[in-house]
Amino acid sequence: MSFPIERLRRLRRTPALRALVRETVLEPSDLVLPLFIRPGRGEARPIKSMPGVFQFSRDRALKALATAVSAGVRSVILFGIPDKKDAQASGAYAADGVIQAAARAVKDRYPDLVVIADLCFCEYMDHGHCGVVGKGEILNDETLELAARTAVSQAEAGCDVIAPSGMMDGQVAAIRRALDGAGKETTAILAYAAKYASAFYGPFRDAAESPPSFGDRSSYQMDPANLREAMREIALDIQEGADMVMVKPALAYLDVLRRGRDAFRVPFAAYSVSGEYAMIKAAAERGWIDEKRAALEALLCIRRAGADFIITYHAVDAARWLASPGRAGRKA
Ligand code: PBG
Protein backbone atom coordinates (compact mmCIF):
# COMPACT_ATOMS: atom_id res chain seq x y z
CA MET A 1 0.00 0.00 0.00
CA SER A 2 1.45 3.32 -1.03
CA PHE A 3 0.45 6.64 -2.51
CA PRO A 4 -2.21 7.43 -3.64
CA ILE A 5 -3.95 4.82 -1.42
CA GLU A 6 -1.95 5.59 1.66
CA ARG A 7 -2.24 9.23 2.71
CA LEU A 8 -0.84 9.86 6.19
CA ARG A 9 -2.23 13.38 6.18
CA ARG A 10 -5.78 11.98 6.60
CA LEU A 11 -5.20 11.49 10.31
CA ARG A 12 -3.60 14.91 10.75
CA ARG A 13 -6.59 16.79 9.40
CA THR A 14 -8.22 17.99 12.64
CA PRO A 15 -7.10 18.53 16.24
CA ALA A 16 -9.41 15.74 17.47
CA LEU A 17 -8.10 13.26 14.92
CA ARG A 18 -4.55 14.12 15.87
CA ALA A 19 -5.41 13.66 19.55
CA LEU A 20 -7.03 10.32 18.81
CA VAL A 21 -3.91 8.84 17.30
CA ARG A 22 -1.31 10.57 19.49
CA GLU A 23 1.20 8.02 20.76
CA THR A 24 2.70 9.89 23.70
CA VAL A 25 1.16 12.04 26.38
CA LEU A 26 2.73 14.44 28.83
CA GLU A 27 0.98 15.10 32.13
CA PRO A 28 1.77 17.23 35.17
CA SER A 29 2.19 14.05 37.21
CA ASP A 30 5.13 13.10 34.93
CA LEU A 31 7.12 16.12 36.11
CA VAL A 32 9.46 16.43 39.08
CA LEU A 33 10.34 19.89 40.39
CA PRO A 34 13.91 20.47 41.62
CA LEU A 35 14.21 22.70 44.69
CA PHE A 36 17.42 24.24 46.01
CA ILE A 37 17.20 24.72 49.76
CA ARG A 38 19.47 26.97 51.77
CA PRO A 39 19.51 27.80 55.48
CA GLY A 40 17.81 30.87 56.93
CA ARG A 41 14.40 32.47 56.61
CA GLY A 42 12.69 34.65 54.06
CA GLU A 43 15.29 33.99 51.38
CA ALA A 44 14.62 33.59 47.67
CA ARG A 45 17.89 34.19 45.86
CA PRO A 46 17.51 34.20 42.09
CA ILE A 47 19.98 32.08 40.13
CA LYS A 48 21.32 34.27 37.37
CA SER A 49 21.86 31.60 34.76
CA MET A 50 18.44 30.03 35.43
CA PRO A 51 15.75 32.72 35.25
CA GLY A 52 12.74 31.73 37.36
CA VAL A 53 14.76 29.39 39.60
CA PHE A 54 15.74 30.34 43.14
CA GLN A 55 17.66 29.17 46.15
CA PHE A 56 14.95 29.12 48.80
CA SER A 57 15.09 29.04 52.55
CA ARG A 58 12.74 26.42 53.95
CA ASP A 59 9.82 28.78 54.56
CA ARG A 60 10.02 30.22 51.06
CA ALA A 61 10.33 26.76 49.56
CA LEU A 62 7.02 25.84 51.16
CA LYS A 63 5.46 28.92 49.61
CA ALA A 64 6.80 27.98 46.19
CA LEU A 65 5.46 24.50 46.70
CA ALA A 66 1.96 25.79 47.25
CA THR A 67 2.06 27.23 43.73
CA ALA A 68 3.61 24.06 42.30
CA VAL A 69 1.05 21.79 43.92
CA SER A 70 -1.85 23.88 42.72
CA ALA A 71 -0.41 23.66 39.20
CA GLY A 72 -0.53 19.86 39.48
CA VAL A 73 3.07 18.99 40.37
CA ARG A 74 3.17 15.92 42.62
CA SER A 75 6.89 15.27 43.06
CA VAL A 76 9.93 17.25 44.09
CA ILE A 77 13.64 16.57 44.31
CA LEU A 78 15.55 18.41 47.02
CA PHE A 79 19.10 19.77 46.75
CA GLY A 80 20.79 21.27 49.79
CA ILE A 81 23.13 24.23 50.04
CA PRO A 82 24.57 23.96 53.53
CA ASP A 83 25.92 26.73 55.74
CA LYS A 84 29.39 25.29 55.80
CA LYS A 85 31.31 22.74 53.80
CA ASP A 86 34.09 20.42 54.99
CA ALA A 87 36.17 17.47 53.83
CA GLN A 88 33.73 14.88 55.24
CA ALA A 89 30.52 16.44 53.88
CA SER A 90 29.13 16.35 57.39
CA GLY A 91 26.24 18.62 56.41
CA ALA A 92 24.92 15.86 54.15
CA TYR A 93 24.11 13.42 56.95
CA ALA A 94 23.46 15.79 59.85
CA ALA A 95 20.16 14.94 61.52
CA ASP A 96 19.19 18.61 61.23
CA GLY A 97 20.88 19.11 57.85
CA VAL A 98 19.32 21.44 55.34
CA ILE A 99 17.71 18.60 53.32
CA GLN A 100 16.56 16.69 56.38
CA ALA A 101 14.86 19.75 57.86
CA ALA A 102 13.30 20.68 54.55
CA ALA A 103 12.01 17.16 53.95
CA ARG A 104 10.34 17.13 57.36
CA ALA A 105 8.68 20.46 56.70
CA VAL A 106 7.54 19.49 53.21
CA LYS A 107 6.16 16.11 54.32
CA ASP A 108 4.43 17.76 57.24
CA ARG A 109 2.60 20.23 54.97
CA TYR A 110 2.20 17.97 51.90
CA PRO A 111 2.14 14.33 53.05
CA ASP A 112 1.03 13.08 49.61
CA LEU A 113 3.84 14.71 47.67
CA VAL A 114 6.64 12.41 46.47
CA VAL A 115 9.78 13.76 48.13
CA ILE A 116 13.02 12.68 46.46
CA ALA A 117 16.35 13.45 48.10
CA ASP A 118 19.32 14.00 45.83
CA LEU A 119 22.19 12.18 47.50
CA CYS A 120 25.52 13.69 46.54
CA PHE A 121 28.39 15.31 48.36
CA CYS A 122 29.59 17.99 45.99
CA GLU A 123 27.46 20.65 47.67
CA TYR A 124 28.78 19.61 51.10
CA MET A 125 32.49 19.07 50.40
CA ASP A 126 34.89 22.01 50.69
CA HIS A 127 36.59 20.81 47.47
CA GLY A 128 33.33 20.41 45.53
CA HIS A 129 33.85 16.80 44.44
CA CYS A 130 31.15 14.15 44.79
CA GLY A 131 33.25 11.93 47.06
CA VAL A 132 35.94 11.77 49.71
CA VAL A 133 39.28 13.04 48.40
CA GLY A 134 42.64 11.48 49.29
CA LYS A 135 45.98 11.96 47.53
CA GLY A 136 44.29 14.04 44.87
CA GLU A 137 41.84 11.29 43.96
CA ILE A 138 38.15 10.75 44.56
CA LEU A 139 37.99 7.68 46.77
CA ASN A 140 35.21 5.27 45.98
CA ASP A 141 34.75 2.94 48.94
CA GLU A 142 35.35 5.63 51.58
CA THR A 143 32.52 7.57 49.95
CA LEU A 144 30.12 4.63 50.19
CA GLU A 145 30.11 4.78 53.98
CA LEU A 146 29.05 8.41 53.87
CA ALA A 147 26.42 7.62 51.26
CA ALA A 148 24.93 4.93 53.48
CA ARG A 149 24.73 7.30 56.44
CA THR A 150 23.25 10.06 54.35
CA ALA A 151 20.57 7.81 52.87
CA VAL A 152 19.45 6.66 56.30
CA SER A 153 19.23 10.21 57.63
CA GLN A 154 17.26 11.33 54.55
CA ALA A 155 14.88 8.39 54.93
CA GLU A 156 14.45 9.14 58.63
CA ALA A 157 13.52 12.69 57.68
CA GLY A 158 10.66 11.29 55.61
CA CYS A 159 12.02 11.24 52.06
CA ASP A 160 10.15 8.70 49.93
CA VAL A 161 12.95 8.20 47.44
CA ILE A 162 16.73 8.42 47.73
CA ALA A 163 18.50 9.43 44.52
CA PRO A 164 22.27 8.83 44.64
CA SER A 165 23.98 10.97 41.99
CA GLY A 166 27.65 10.62 42.87
CA MET A 167 28.47 7.86 40.32
CA MET A 168 30.49 5.87 42.87
CA ASP A 169 30.67 2.15 42.10
CA GLY A 170 28.53 0.10 44.47
CA GLN A 171 26.63 3.07 45.86
CA VAL A 172 23.19 1.59 45.25
CA ALA A 173 24.05 -1.66 47.07
CA ALA A 174 25.56 0.25 49.98
CA ILE A 175 22.49 2.44 50.31
CA ARG A 176 20.00 -0.44 49.97
CA ARG A 177 21.83 -2.38 52.67
CA ALA A 178 21.92 0.60 55.01
CA LEU A 179 18.26 1.48 54.48
CA ASP A 180 17.15 -2.08 55.13
CA GLY A 181 19.36 -2.27 58.19
CA ALA A 182 17.70 0.86 59.55
CA GLY A 183 14.18 -0.49 59.06
CA LYS A 184 13.66 1.65 55.96
CA GLU A 185 12.96 -1.18 53.56
CA THR A 186 10.04 0.74 52.04
CA THR A 187 12.20 3.71 51.02
CA ALA A 188 12.82 3.55 47.27
CA ILE A 189 16.02 4.20 45.32
CA LEU A 190 16.18 6.20 42.10
CA ALA A 191 19.69 5.65 40.78
CA TYR A 192 21.35 8.27 38.63
CA ALA A 193 22.58 5.27 36.68
CA ALA A 194 23.80 6.84 33.45
CA LYS A 195 25.03 10.25 34.51
CA TYR A 196 27.42 11.80 32.03
CA ALA A 197 30.23 14.29 32.63
CA SER A 198 28.36 17.08 30.88
CA ALA A 199 28.90 20.74 30.06
CA PHE A 200 25.13 21.11 30.34
CA TYR A 201 25.43 21.13 34.16
CA GLY A 202 27.07 24.56 34.02
CA PRO A 203 24.23 26.64 35.48
CA PHE A 204 23.54 24.05 38.22
CA ARG A 205 26.99 24.56 39.65
CA ASP A 206 26.08 28.22 40.24
CA ALA A 207 22.75 27.17 41.69
CA ALA A 208 24.19 24.59 44.07
CA GLU A 209 27.49 26.39 44.65
CA SER A 210 29.25 23.14 43.86
CA PRO A 211 31.93 23.49 41.17
CA PRO A 212 34.98 21.29 41.86
CA SER A 213 37.97 23.28 43.09
CA PHE A 214 40.43 21.10 41.14
CA GLY A 215 40.09 18.85 38.13
CA ASP A 216 36.71 17.78 36.83
CA ARG A 217 34.26 14.90 37.33
CA SER A 218 35.45 12.72 34.44
CA SER A 219 36.93 10.05 36.72
CA TYR A 220 33.48 9.19 38.04
CA GLN A 221 30.81 10.55 35.69
CA MET A 222 30.43 8.88 32.30
CA ASP A 223 32.12 9.75 29.03
CA PRO A 224 29.49 11.30 26.69
CA ALA A 225 30.82 9.05 23.92
CA ASN A 226 29.60 5.84 25.56
CA LEU A 227 26.31 4.01 25.11
CA ARG A 228 27.20 0.37 25.78
CA GLU A 229 28.74 1.42 29.08
CA ALA A 230 25.46 3.10 30.04
CA MET A 231 23.72 -0.25 29.65
CA ARG A 232 26.25 -1.77 32.05
CA GLU A 233 25.72 1.02 34.57
CA ILE A 234 21.96 0.58 34.41
CA ALA A 235 22.14 -3.21 34.70
CA LEU A 236 24.45 -2.98 37.70
CA ASP A 237 22.28 -0.45 39.51
CA ILE A 238 19.20 -2.61 39.01
CA GLN A 239 21.12 -5.64 40.24
CA GLU A 240 22.22 -3.66 43.30
CA GLY A 241 18.61 -2.83 44.14
CA ALA A 242 17.62 0.33 42.28
CA ASP A 243 13.84 0.62 41.97
CA MET A 244 14.14 3.20 39.20
CA VAL A 245 17.01 4.47 37.08
CA MET A 246 17.85 7.78 35.49
CA VAL A 247 19.55 9.05 32.38
CA LYS A 248 21.13 12.48 32.64
CA PRO A 249 21.23 14.88 30.80
CA ALA A 250 18.14 14.30 28.66
CA LEU A 251 18.09 16.03 25.29
CA ALA A 252 21.52 15.07 24.00
CA TYR A 253 21.08 11.52 25.38
CA LEU A 254 17.71 10.39 24.03
CA ASP A 255 19.33 7.36 22.42
CA VAL A 256 20.48 6.21 25.86
CA LEU A 257 16.93 6.53 27.15
CA ARG A 258 15.46 4.62 24.24
CA ARG A 259 18.02 1.84 24.39
CA GLY A 260 17.65 1.56 28.17
CA ARG A 261 13.86 1.66 28.08
CA ASP A 262 13.83 -1.21 25.57
CA ALA A 263 16.33 -3.31 27.51
CA PHE A 264 15.04 -3.03 31.09
CA ARG A 265 11.71 -3.09 32.91
CA VAL A 266 12.16 -0.65 35.77
CA PRO A 267 10.76 2.88 35.51
CA PHE A 268 13.07 5.33 33.74
CA ALA A 269 13.61 8.93 34.70
CA ALA A 270 15.28 11.59 32.60
CA TYR A 271 16.89 14.68 34.07
CA SER A 272 16.47 17.66 31.79
CA VAL A 273 19.37 19.57 33.26
CA SER A 274 20.13 23.19 34.01
CA GLY A 275 21.84 23.86 30.67
CA GLU A 276 18.85 22.55 28.74
CA TYR A 277 16.61 24.92 30.69
CA ALA A 278 19.00 27.85 30.32
CA MET A 279 19.26 27.43 26.55
CA ILE A 280 15.49 27.63 26.09
CA LYS A 281 15.21 30.55 28.51
CA ALA A 282 18.02 32.50 26.89
CA ALA A 283 16.71 32.04 23.38
CA ALA A 284 13.17 32.90 24.48
CA GLU A 285 14.35 36.08 26.21
CA ARG A 286 15.76 37.23 22.88
CA GLY A 287 12.57 36.38 21.09
CA TRP A 288 14.37 33.69 19.12
CA ILE A 289 12.21 30.81 20.31
CA ASP A 290 8.72 30.34 21.76
CA GLU A 291 9.42 29.20 25.33
CA LYS A 292 6.16 27.39 25.94
CA ARG A 293 6.17 25.47 22.68
CA ALA A 294 9.87 24.63 22.87
CA ALA A 295 9.72 23.48 26.50
CA LEU A 296 6.62 21.33 26.01
CA GLU A 297 8.03 19.84 22.83
CA ALA A 298 11.32 18.95 24.52
CA LEU A 299 9.49 17.34 27.45
CA LEU A 300 7.13 15.39 25.20
CA CYS A 301 10.04 14.13 23.14
CA ILE A 302 11.91 13.02 26.26
CA ARG A 303 8.80 11.01 27.16
CA ARG A 304 8.64 9.61 23.62
CA ALA A 305 12.26 8.51 23.85
CA GLY A 306 11.38 6.39 26.87
CA ALA A 307 11.25 8.44 30.06
CA ASP A 308 8.41 7.61 32.42
CA PHE A 309 9.00 10.86 34.26
CA ILE A 310 11.19 13.92 33.92
CA ILE A 311 13.03 16.14 36.36
CA THR A 312 12.72 19.63 34.90
CA TYR A 313 13.08 23.25 36.00
CA HIS A 314 10.09 23.93 33.77
CA ALA A 315 7.89 21.68 35.94
CA VAL A 316 5.57 24.35 37.33
CA ASP A 317 5.18 26.30 34.10
CA ALA A 318 4.75 23.12 32.09
CA ALA A 319 2.13 21.77 34.49
CA ARG A 320 0.24 25.04 34.13
CA TRP A 321 0.53 25.07 30.36
CA LEU A 322 -0.72 21.49 30.20
CA ALA A 323 -3.69 22.30 32.39
CA SER A 324 -4.77 25.38 30.47
CA PRO A 325 -7.86 24.11 28.74
CA GLY A 326 -9.21 23.49 25.33
CA ARG A 327 -7.23 24.25 22.23
CA ALA A 328 -9.69 21.94 20.51
CA GLY A 329 -12.95 22.73 22.24
CA ARG A 330 -16.38 23.68 20.96
CA LYS A 331 -16.99 26.51 18.57
CA ALA A 332 -17.51 29.64 20.62
C1 PBG B 1 25.66 16.59 41.53
C2 PBG B 1 24.61 17.02 40.61
C3 PBG B 1 24.76 17.80 39.47
C4 PBG B 1 23.49 17.94 38.91
C5 PBG B 1 22.61 17.28 39.74
N1 PBG B 1 23.32 16.69 40.76
C6 PBG B 1 25.90 18.50 38.92
C7 PBG B 1 27.16 17.86 38.67
O1 PBG B 1 27.28 16.63 38.60
O2 PBG B 1 28.11 18.62 38.55
C8 PBG B 1 23.19 18.70 37.66
C9 PBG B 1 21.80 19.12 37.52
C10 PBG B 1 21.59 20.15 36.50
O3 PBG B 1 22.50 20.58 35.76
O4 PBG B 1 20.45 20.59 36.40
N2 PBG B 1 25.21 16.57 42.83
Side-chain angles (χ1 to χ4, degrees), residues 44-267:
R45 297 193 189 174
I47 297 154
K48 229 169 117 203
S49 51
M50 301 172 74
V53 180
F54 298 81
Q55 294 181 349
F56 287 122
S57 56
R58 201 160 76 224
D59 56 322
R60 295 296 297 266
L62 286 173
K63 258 193 169 163
L65 258 182
T67 313
V69 167
S70 65
V73 170
R74 302 178 68 177
S75 311
V76 294
I77 181 163
L78 304 178
F79 294 94
I81 303 141
D83 250 341
K84 52 182 181 18
K85 304 170 189 265
D86 57 34
Q88 290 300 316
S90 49
Y93 41 87
D96 59 349
V98 64
I99 287 296
Q100 288 80 356
R104 285 197 184 88
V106 168
K107 269 292 179 187
D108 192 47
R109 179 85 56 93
Y110 300 102
D112 298 333
L113 206 69
V114 176
V115 175
I116 306 173
D118 178 80
L119 195 171
C120 195
F121 300 116
C122 59
E123 302 104 296
Y124 302 90
M125 291 285 193
D126 47 18
H127 46 63
H129 275 290
C130 303
V132 175
V133 169
K135 296 192 189 123
E137 297 205 0
I138 290 74
L139 304 175
N140 195 87
D141 298 11
E142 288 77 352
T143 304
L144 298 186
E145 286 169 39
L146 301 188
R149 280 169 74 173
T150 305
V152 170
S153 82
Q154 291 173 336
E156 281 172 350
C159 296
D160 300 291
V161 180
I162 309 299
S165 68
M167 291 301 281
M168 296 297 128
D169 289 326
Q171 63 183 4
V172 173
I175 289 169
R176 185 70 272 160
R177 204 177 311 120
L179 288 172
D180 291 354
K184 293 292 176 190
E185 54 284 310
T186 60
T187 304
I189 297 175
L190 165 59
Y192 284 70
K195 177 176 180 179
Y196 288 88
S198 173
F200 293 99
Y201 305 153
F204 176 96
R205 294 181 186 171
D206 291 343
E209 300 175 4
S210 66
S213 60
F214 66 91
D216 60 27
R217 305 204 201 287
S218 308
S219 77
Y220 42 105
Q221 297 180 347
M222 282 185 59
D223 181 340
N226 293 357
L227 174 60
R228 290 191 303 264
E229 186 190 355
M231 298 303 111
R232 294 182 69 197
E233 283 282 5
I234 293 166
L236 268 173
D237 280 356
I238 293 172
Q239 208 176 304
E240 289 181 27
D243 301 282
M244 309 180 271
V245 295
M246 194 194 301
V247 172
K248 176 184 175 186
L251 277 187
Y253 297 84
L254 296 183
D255 58 325
V256 184
L257 267 174
R258 169 47 56 204
R259 186 75 73 87
R261 171 70 293 163
D262 288 342
F264 302 97
R265 294 182 181 213
V266 299

